[in-house]
Amino acid sequence: MEVRGTVRVKLDVPEEKRDDLHRTINQFNRAANFTIQHGRDDDGDLILSKSVIHDRVYHDLRDETDLPANLCIRAYSKAVEAMKSTVADWKSGNSRPLPHFDEPSAVYDKRTLTIKDQSATLSTVNGRVGVDFVLGKYQQSYLDDEDYEKRMGTLHYREHEDAFYLHIVIQKKVEQRDGNRVMGVDLNLKNVAVTSTGEFFDGGELLWGQNHYFRVRRSIQDKGTRSAKQVLARLSGRENRFVLDRLHTISRRLVEEARSHDCSYIAVENLTHIRDQMWIEDNQTRRQMHRWAFRELQEMVAYKAAEHGIRVEEIPPAFTSQTCSYCGHQSSTNRDDETGWFECNECGREYDGDYNAAKNIGKKLLTLPEGKRPSGLGNGHLTLKSGTVNGTGEYVPDDSSESTDQESHAQTHG
């Protein structure tokens, strides 16, 4: 299997070359937007073929911009991928406008980006620009790993920091772990993550930190001075580092939990609409949810798990929090929205709601129709606190702890 991830590296750019990078990013976005504007065929349909779009816009891009040839190709390729996504949404009945690119970023490949040990050179509108990396131990560990191939990268400019970053895409091949054990994981607000094995990862520190930064940011914004804006820029970077550090720790521990139970799969919910699903009236919780990086955490888990040959599989989220993992009864009144406690209206079993959901998520992966679930999970088992259960409800306790897992056994089967 293939491990793919992104390493975000801050760049030390010579002062006299910063304008070259700014102009390159601006013209890259201009080229991508030009492609969107001229990306229809004679019937008015969006052109989704890169070879066709090449014939349509490439020479115009070379004339209209100072971008080197390969950056023109990357610009129209980015536009085509965005148009494909838009058309897919239209076909699904989702209304959305045509893409428009204004985020300060530009996409690079091996022909336009050369990465060395702790530096890189990038193609620009004014020749090649050399930059040095500002590395922490985390980034250094990935860039030093010779098994990783550095395939491409995206140049970003963060205005609030007045800094350039390079997001380097890395990948390598690893052996997929044998076996058919699954660990279910539920992501939520109070408990950042809860596993079907009964591990709880509390979100209190993270929420405290986000609320703290929100209060500080609001007090500074009220001043409105130039120096206040500079402080806000530094504060934003500090908050991002705070959140990412906690998410890295949680994702690492989740993968360690899966490994300790010899799991080959981690089941999680598809989070496409998670913010809409979790929307509630309380203003403070709404702010926390809006800023909550569920997708970031899930991506971290995915590539950390892949390094150990563990696959992360997404399942449809419908009713995992409303269904009893013991008897299968589903009702919107099974779970108390205020406390999060789950009490089944049918069988009377009670559990923490997030733990119940984690078990349902894992079981849902096991019981997906053939062709939709991984091929190796025909006879898969969900890992619990001390034991496993298969898709038909047959429980098998761990050899060493049959007597200690009566609660888990009962909660799954009765």
Side-chain angles (χ1 to χ4, degrees):
M1 63 185 292
E2 188 176 90
V3 181
R4 186 181 176 95
T6 302
V7 180
R8 298 169 177 85
V9 177
K10 189 174 183 178
L11 302 181
D12 182 8
V13 182
E15 190 64 33
E16 68 276 10
K17 295 296 184 180
R18 291 175 64 86
D19 186 59
D20 292 338
L21 297 187
H22 281 301
R23 289 170 54 210
T24 301
I25 288 174
N26 290 338
Q27 293 196 33
F28 186 93
N29 280 340
R30 179 182 168 190
N33 288 324
F34 182 94
T35 303
I36 299 290
Q37 294 163 10
H38 297 82
R40 293 184 182 272
D41 60 23
D42 294 338
D43 295 326
D45 296 326
L46 292 178
I47 300 173
L48 305 182
S49 166
K50 292 179 183 178
S51 60
V52 175
I53 208 74
H54 177 94
D55 295 337
R56 180 65 64 96
V57 304
Y58 173 75
H59 293 290
D60 289 332
L61 295 182
R62 294 287 283 146
D63 292 338
E64 294 288 330
T65 73
D66 298 317
L67 294 173
N70 288 321
L71 280 181
C72 287
I73 294 172
R74 298 273 25 108
Y76 75 59
S77 297
K78 179 178 180 179
V80 169
E81 291 303 317
M83 288 192 289
K84 287 180 179 179
S85 177
T86 299
V87 170
D89 273 358
W90 289 348
K91 290 181 177 179
S92 300
N94 299 322
S95 176
R96 58 178 286 189
L98 284 173
H100 179 78
F101 303 99
D102 52 19
E103 178 188 351
S105 64
V107 180
Y108 283 77
D109 59 18
K110 282 189 170 183
R111 292 166 294 184
T112 53
L113 170 66
T114 301
I115 298 174
K116 302 175 183 177
D117 291 338
Q118 298 190 24
S119 63
T121 61
L122 302 98
S123 294
T124 73
V125 296
N126 188 31
R128 285 265 177 170
V129 168
V131 297
D132 292 325
F133 295 160
V134 181
L135 297 173
K137 291 183 179 179
Y138 173 77
Q139 295 98 328
Q140 186 78 60
S141 65
Y142 281 99
L143 295 182
D144 285 348
D145 189 336
E146 295 183 356
D147 291 333
Y148 274 110
E149 180 184 3
K150 290 77 174 177
R151 295 183 59 83
M152 58 187 301
T154 304
L155 175 66
H156 290 264
Y157 174 68
R158 298 183 185 175
E159 186 175 1
H160 63 277
E161 294 184 46
D162 189 24
F164 289 96
Y165 282 79
L166 186 63
H167 292 189
I168 304 171
V169 178
I170 58 174
Q171 71 176 46
K172 70 177 178 180
K173 291 189 178 297
V174 299
E175 289 291 327
Q176 183 175 336
R177 182 184 288 255
D178 292 331
N180 59 6
R181 284 193 171 203
V182 174
M183 183 178 79
V185 177
D186 180 59
L187 304 182
N188 218 302
L189 185 68
K190 179 182 176 182
N191 296 307
V192 178
V194 178
T195 71
S196 61
T197 58
E199 286 297 311
F200 286 70
F201 298 85
D202 181 45
E205 181 186 16
L206 194 48
L207 295 180
W208 176 90
Q210 290 188 296
N211 284 327
H212 166 74
Y213 283 111
F214 173 81
R215 291 190 296 270
V216 174
R217 188 165 50 251
R218 185 170 56 183
S219 66
I220 295 173
Q221 286 172 335
D222 291 340
K223 297 179 181 179
T225 63
R226 181 177 180 180
S227 61
K229 293 180 181 179
Q230 294 173 340
V231 173
L232 283 172
R234 292 195 297 270
L235 188 68
S236 177
R238 197 177 306 155
E239 180 182 8
N240 287 340
R241 290 190 294 273
F242 171 86
V243 172
L244 288 173
D245 178 70
R246 270 67 181 176
L247 295 182
H248 275 298
T249 299
I250 293 168
S251 60
R252 175 178 52 79
R253 290 176 59 196
L254 281 170
V255 174
E256 289 174 352
E257 178 70 7
R259 293 179 65 198
S260 71
H261 288 270
D262 197 27
C263 293
S264 301
Y265 299 87
I266 297 174
V268 296
E269 289 182 330
N270 184 305
L271 300 180
T272 302
H273 304 293
I274 190 168
R275 286 172 178 163
D276 295 332
Q277 295 163 359
M278 300 184 66
W279 199 261
I280 61 175
E281 294 183 358
D282 179 72
N283 285 335
Q284 177 174 326
T285 306
R286 184 188 310 147
R287 182 179 71 246
Q288 294 166 342
M289 288 179 180
H290 178 70
R291 297 182 59 80
W292 184 241
F294 286 105
R295 175 58 64 185
E296 185 75 29
L297 175 58
Q298 200 169 95
E299 289 177 356
M300 288 181 180
V301 172
Y303 71 75
K304 284 181 171 64
E307 290 182 311
H308 299 283
I310 300 172
R311 290 174 54 177
V312 174
E313 299 286 342
E314 295 186 2
I315 58 96
F319 309 123
T320 54
S321 64
Q322 299 178 6
T323 302
C324 178
S325 58
Y326 176 85
C327 70
H329 174 67
Q330 182 261 316
S331 170
S332 61
T333 60
N334 276 345
R335 178 167 175 158
D336 189 310
D337 289 337
E338 292 186 5
T339 66
W341 191 252
F342 187 97
E343 182 176 358
C344 181
N345 297 330
E346 185 72 18
C347 69
R349 299 286 177 175
E350 298 184 37
Y351 341 89
D352 177 273
D354 295 339
Y355 175 56
N356 177 71
K359 291 191 288 184
N360 283 330
I361 290 168
K363 290 170 70 175
K364 204 165 188 176
L365 178 62
L366 294 178
T367 55
L368 285 175
E370 188 174 355
K372 292 188 176 181
R373 69 173 181 264
S375 59
L377 283 181
N379 297 307
H381 289 76
L382 173 66
T383 305
L384 303 173
K385 292 179 181 178
S386 48
T388 63
V389 60
N390 64 16
T392 61
E394 180 183 355
Y395 174 77
V396 179
D398 284 348
D399 294 338
S400 60
S401 55
E402 181 172 357
S403 62
T404 66
D405 198 43
Q406 294 304 308
E407 177 185 2
S408 293
H409 184 179
Q411 287 181 353
T412 311
H413 307 287

PDB file of all heavy atoms in Angstrom, residues 46-50 78-90 96 99:
ATOM      1  N   LEU A  46     -18.379  22.429 -19.740  1.00  0.00           N
ATOM      2  CA  LEU A  46     -17.022  22.575 -19.223  1.00  0.00           C
ATOM      3  C   LEU A  46     -16.124  21.481 -19.797  1.00  0.00           C
ATOM      4  O   LEU A  46     -16.522  20.323 -19.893  1.00  0.00           O
ATOM      5  CB  LEU A  46     -17.014  22.497 -17.699  1.00  0.00           C
ATOM      6  CG  LEU A  46     -17.678  23.665 -16.947  1.00  0.00           C
ATOM      7  CD1 LEU A  46     -17.640  23.418 -15.444  1.00  0.00           C
ATOM      8  CD2 LEU A  46     -16.989  24.989 -17.272  1.00  0.00           C
ATOM      9  N   ILE A  47     -14.915  21.859 -20.160  1.00  0.00           N
ATOM     10  CA  ILE A  47     -13.939  20.914 -20.704  1.00  0.00           C
ATOM     11  C   ILE A  47     -13.205  20.251 -19.539  1.00  0.00           C
ATOM     12  O   ILE A  47     -12.543  20.922 -18.751  1.00  0.00           O
ATOM     13  CB  ILE A  47     -12.935  21.627 -21.631  1.00  0.00           C
ATOM     14  CG1 ILE A  47     -13.673  22.285 -22.794  1.00  0.00           C
ATOM     15  CG2 ILE A  47     -11.885  20.650 -22.144  1.00  0.00           C
ATOM     16  CD1 ILE A  47     -12.786  23.160 -23.665  1.00  0.00           C
ATOM     17  N   LEU A  48     -13.319  18.934 -19.437  1.00  0.00           N
ATOM     18  CA  LEU A  48     -12.735  18.204 -18.321  1.00  0.00           C
ATOM     19  C   LEU A  48     -11.546  17.352 -18.742  1.00  0.00           C
ATOM     20  O   LEU A  48     -11.025  16.577 -17.931  1.00  0.00           O
ATOM     21  CB  LEU A  48     -13.804  17.328 -17.657  1.00  0.00           C
ATOM     22  CG  LEU A  48     -15.075  18.065 -17.206  1.00  0.00           C
ATOM     23  CD1 LEU A  48     -16.028  17.097 -16.516  1.00  0.00           C
ATOM     24  CD2 LEU A  48     -14.733  19.228 -16.291  1.00  0.00           C
ATOM     25  N   SER A  49     -11.113  17.496 -19.982  1.00  0.00           N
ATOM     26  CA  SER A  49      -9.951  16.765 -20.483  1.00  0.00           C
ATOM     27  C   SER A  49      -8.751  17.709 -20.515  1.00  0.00           C
ATOM     28  O   SER A  49      -8.808  18.783 -21.121  1.00  0.00           O
ATOM     29  CB  SER A  49     -10.227  16.236 -21.892  1.00  0.00           C
ATOM     30  OG  SER A  49      -9.036  15.824 -22.518  1.00  0.00           O
ATOM     31  N   LYS A  50      -7.660  17.293 -19.874  1.00  0.00           N
ATOM     32  CA  LYS A  50      -6.474  18.157 -19.839  1.00  0.00           C
ATOM     33  C   LYS A  50      -5.835  18.302 -21.216  1.00  0.00           C
ATOM     34  O   LYS A  50      -5.271  19.357 -21.526  1.00  0.00           O
ATOM     35  CB  LYS A  50      -5.466  17.610 -18.820  1.00  0.00           C
ATOM     36  CG  LYS A  50      -5.956  17.727 -17.381  1.00  0.00           C
ATOM     37  CD  LYS A  50      -4.962  17.161 -16.385  1.00  0.00           C
ATOM     38  CE  LYS A  50      -5.536  17.223 -14.967  1.00  0.00           C
ATOM     39  NZ  LYS A  50      -4.613  16.627 -13.965  1.00  0.00           N
ATOM     40  N   LYS A  78      -4.776  22.411 -12.485  1.00  0.00           N
ATOM     41  CA  LYS A  78      -5.510  22.718 -11.251  1.00  0.00           C
ATOM     42  C   LYS A  78      -6.928  23.165 -11.577  1.00  0.00           C
ATOM     43  O   LYS A  78      -7.894  22.764 -10.916  1.00  0.00           O
ATOM     44  CB  LYS A  78      -4.775  23.805 -10.463  1.00  0.00           C
ATOM     45  CG  LYS A  78      -5.472  24.205  -9.167  1.00  0.00           C
ATOM     46  CD  LYS A  78      -4.670  25.262  -8.413  1.00  0.00           C
ATOM     47  CE  LYS A  78      -5.388  25.648  -7.121  1.00  0.00           C
ATOM     48  NZ  LYS A  78      -4.605  26.665  -6.349  1.00  0.00           N
ATOM     49  N   ALA A  79      -7.078  23.982 -12.616  1.00  0.00           N
ATOM     50  CA  ALA A  79      -8.399  24.454 -13.010  1.00  0.00           C
ATOM     51  C   ALA A  79      -9.284  23.301 -13.456  1.00  0.00           C
ATOM     52  O   ALA A  79     -10.475  23.237 -13.110  1.00  0.00           O
ATOM     53  CB  ALA A  79      -8.269  25.497 -14.122  1.00  0.00           C
ATOM     54  N   VAL A  80      -8.730  22.373 -14.240  1.00  0.00           N
ATOM     55  CA  VAL A  80      -9.512  21.236 -14.720  1.00  0.00           C
ATOM     56  C   VAL A  80      -9.990  20.377 -13.548  1.00  0.00           C
ATOM     57  O   VAL A  80     -11.148  19.931 -13.519  1.00  0.00           O
ATOM     58  CB  VAL A  80      -8.693  20.394 -15.725  1.00  0.00           C
ATOM     59  CG1 VAL A  80      -9.391  19.067 -16.010  1.00  0.00           C
ATOM     60  CG2 VAL A  80      -8.478  21.164 -17.014  1.00  0.00           C
ATOM     61  N   GLU A  81      -9.117  20.117 -12.579  1.00  0.00           N
ATOM     62  CA  GLU A  81      -9.521  19.319 -11.420  1.00  0.00           C
ATOM     63  C   GLU A  81     -10.645  20.003 -10.658  1.00  0.00           C
ATOM     64  O   GLU A  81     -11.586  19.344 -10.177  1.00  0.00           O
ATOM     65  CB  GLU A  81      -8.326  19.083 -10.494  1.00  0.00           C
ATOM     66  CG  GLU A  81      -7.259  18.171 -11.078  1.00  0.00           C
ATOM     67  CD  GLU A  81      -7.806  16.814 -11.488  1.00  0.00           C
ATOM     68  OE1 GLU A  81      -8.602  16.239 -10.707  1.00  0.00           O
ATOM     69  OE2 GLU A  81      -7.458  16.332 -12.580  1.00  0.00           O
ATOM     70  N   ALA A  82     -10.578  21.334 -10.536  1.00  0.00           N
ATOM     71  CA  ALA A  82     -11.645  22.077  -9.856  1.00  0.00           C
ATOM     72  C   ALA A  82     -12.948  22.000 -10.643  1.00  0.00           C
ATOM     73  O   ALA A  82     -14.039  21.876 -10.057  1.00  0.00           O
ATOM     74  CB  ALA A  82     -11.220  23.527  -9.662  1.00  0.00           C
ATOM     75  N   MET A  83     -12.862  22.064 -11.975  1.00  0.00           N
ATOM     76  CA  MET A  83     -14.072  21.961 -12.791  1.00  0.00           C
ATOM     77  C   MET A  83     -14.683  20.567 -12.681  1.00  0.00           C
ATOM     78  O   MET A  83     -15.907  20.411 -12.664  1.00  0.00           O
ATOM     79  CB  MET A  83     -13.751  22.308 -14.249  1.00  0.00           C
ATOM     80  CG  MET A  83     -13.475  23.789 -14.472  1.00  0.00           C
ATOM     81  SD  MET A  83     -13.423  24.280 -16.219  1.00  0.00           S
ATOM     82  CE  MET A  83     -11.872  23.523 -16.749  1.00  0.00           C
ATOM     83  N   LYS A  84     -13.845  19.531 -12.613  1.00  0.00           N
ATOM     84  CA  LYS A  84     -14.368  18.170 -12.440  1.00  0.00           C
ATOM     85  C   LYS A  84     -15.161  18.064 -11.140  1.00  0.00           C
ATOM     86  O   LYS A  84     -16.244  17.459 -11.097  1.00  0.00           O
ATOM     87  CB  LYS A  84     -13.218  17.165 -12.435  1.00  0.00           C
ATOM     88  CG  LYS A  84     -12.581  16.914 -13.790  1.00  0.00           C
ATOM     89  CD  LYS A  84     -11.457  15.892 -13.663  1.00  0.00           C
ATOM     90  CE  LYS A  84     -10.818  15.600 -15.016  1.00  0.00           C
ATOM     91  NZ  LYS A  84      -9.696  14.629 -14.892  1.00  0.00           N
ATOM     92  N   SER A  85     -14.622  18.638 -10.067  1.00  0.00           N
ATOM     93  CA  SER A  85     -15.303  18.607  -8.780  1.00  0.00           C
ATOM     94  C   SER A  85     -16.629  19.357  -8.841  1.00  0.00           C
ATOM     95  O   SER A  85     -17.642  18.916  -8.279  1.00  0.00           O
ATOM     96  CB  SER A  85     -14.400  19.219  -7.704  1.00  0.00           C
ATOM     97  OG  SER A  85     -15.046  19.275  -6.462  1.00  0.00           O
ATOM     98  N   THR A  86     -16.632  20.489  -9.546  1.00  0.00           N
ATOM     99  CA  THR A  86     -17.857  21.283  -9.681  1.00  0.00           C
ATOM    100  C   THR A  86     -18.920  20.511 -10.445  1.00  0.00           C
ATOM    101  O   THR A  86     -20.090  20.460 -10.036  1.00  0.00           O
ATOM    102  CB  THR A  86     -17.545  22.605 -10.401  1.00  0.00           C
ATOM    103  OG1 THR A  86     -16.593  23.349  -9.638  1.00  0.00           O
ATOM    104  CG2 THR A  86     -18.805  23.441 -10.577  1.00  0.00           C
ATOM    105  N   VAL A  87     -18.529  19.891 -11.545  1.00  0.00           N
ATOM    106  CA  VAL A  87     -19.485  19.122 -12.352  1.00  0.00           C
ATOM    107  C   VAL A  87     -20.039  17.946 -11.549  1.00  0.00           C
ATOM    108  O   VAL A  87     -21.241  17.638 -11.617  1.00  0.00           O
ATOM    109  CB  VAL A  87     -18.819  18.634 -13.659  1.00  0.00           C
ATOM    110  CG1 VAL A  87     -19.712  17.629 -14.376  1.00  0.00           C
ATOM    111  CG2 VAL A  87     -18.508  19.810 -14.569  1.00  0.00           C
ATOM    112  N   ALA A  88     -19.188  17.293 -10.760  1.00  0.00           N
ATOM    113  CA  ALA A  88     -19.656  16.181  -9.924  1.00  0.00           C
ATOM    114  C   ALA A  88     -20.707  16.657  -8.929  1.00  0.00           C
ATOM    115  O   ALA A  88     -21.711  15.973  -8.688  1.00  0.00           O
ATOM    116  CB  ALA A  88     -18.481  15.539  -9.195  1.00  0.00           C
ATOM    117  N   ASP A  89     -20.494  17.848  -8.336  1.00  0.00           N
ATOM    118  CA  ASP A  89     -21.484  18.406  -7.417  1.00  0.00           C
ATOM    119  C   ASP A  89     -22.774  18.735  -8.144  1.00  0.00           C
ATOM    120  O   ASP A  89     -23.875  18.498  -7.627  1.00  0.00           O
ATOM    121  CB  ASP A  89     -20.921  19.662  -6.744  1.00  0.00           C
ATOM    122  CG  ASP A  89     -20.130  19.334  -5.496  1.00  0.00           C
ATOM    123  OD1 ASP A  89     -20.047  18.148  -5.147  1.00  0.00           O
ATOM    124  OD2 ASP A  89     -19.584  20.260  -4.868  1.00  0.00           O
ATOM    125  N   TRP A  90     -22.669  19.306  -9.323  1.00  0.00           N
ATOM    126  CA  TRP A  90     -23.877  19.614 -10.100  1.00  0.00           C
ATOM    127  C   TRP A  90     -24.683  18.356 -10.378  1.00  0.00           C
ATOM    128  O   TRP A  90     -25.896  18.341 -10.260  1.00  0.00           O
ATOM    129  CB  TRP A  90     -23.495  20.294 -11.417  1.00  0.00           C
ATOM    130  CG  TRP A  90     -22.989  21.699 -11.270  1.00  0.00           C
ATOM    131  CD1 TRP A  90     -23.056  22.481 -10.160  1.00  0.00           C
ATOM    132  CD2 TRP A  90     -22.325  22.487 -12.276  1.00  0.00           C
ATOM    133  NE1 TRP A  90     -22.478  23.707 -10.396  1.00  0.00           N
ATOM    134  CE2 TRP A  90     -22.031  23.742 -11.687  1.00  0.00           C
ATOM    135  CE3 TRP A  90     -21.968  22.246 -13.592  1.00  0.00           C
ATOM    136  CZ2 TRP A  90     -21.392  24.748 -12.400  1.00  0.00           C
ATOM    137  CZ3 TRP A  90     -21.328  23.250 -14.302  1.00  0.00           C
ATOM    138  CH2 TRP A  90     -21.042  24.492 -13.709  1.00  0.00           C
ATOM    139  N   ARG A  96     -23.486  25.113  -6.988  1.00  0.00           N
ATOM    140  CA  ARG A  96     -22.286  25.843  -6.592  1.00  0.00           C
ATOM    141  C   ARG A  96     -21.781  26.623  -7.799  1.00  0.00           C
ATOM    142  O   ARG A  96     -21.995  26.229  -8.945  1.00  0.00           O
ATOM    143  CB  ARG A  96     -21.195  24.902  -6.078  1.00  0.00           C
ATOM    144  CG  ARG A  96     -20.766  23.847  -7.066  1.00  0.00           C
ATOM    145  CD  ARG A  96     -19.652  22.969  -6.523  1.00  0.00           C
ATOM    146  NE  ARG A  96     -18.367  23.625  -6.496  1.00  0.00           N
ATOM    147  CZ  ARG A  96     -17.218  23.001  -6.218  1.00  0.00           C
ATOM    148  NH1 ARG A  96     -17.233  21.714  -5.935  1.00  0.00           N
ATOM    149  NH2 ARG A  96     -16.084  23.657  -6.219  1.00  0.00           N
ATOM    150  N   PRO A  99     -15.497  27.601 -10.067  1.00  0.00           N
ATOM    151  CA  PRO A  99     -14.355  27.882  -9.195  1.00  0.00           C
ATOM    152  C   PRO A  99     -13.712  29.224  -9.533  1.00  0.00           C
ATOM    153  O   PRO A  99     -13.712  29.670 -10.680  1.00  0.00           O
ATOM    154  CB  PRO A  99     -13.389  26.730  -9.487  1.00  0.00           C
ATOM    155  CG  PRO A  99     -14.212  25.672 -10.136  1.00  0.00           C
ATOM    156  CD  PRO A  99     -15.304  26.383 -10.865  1.00  0.00           C
TER     157      PRO A  99
END
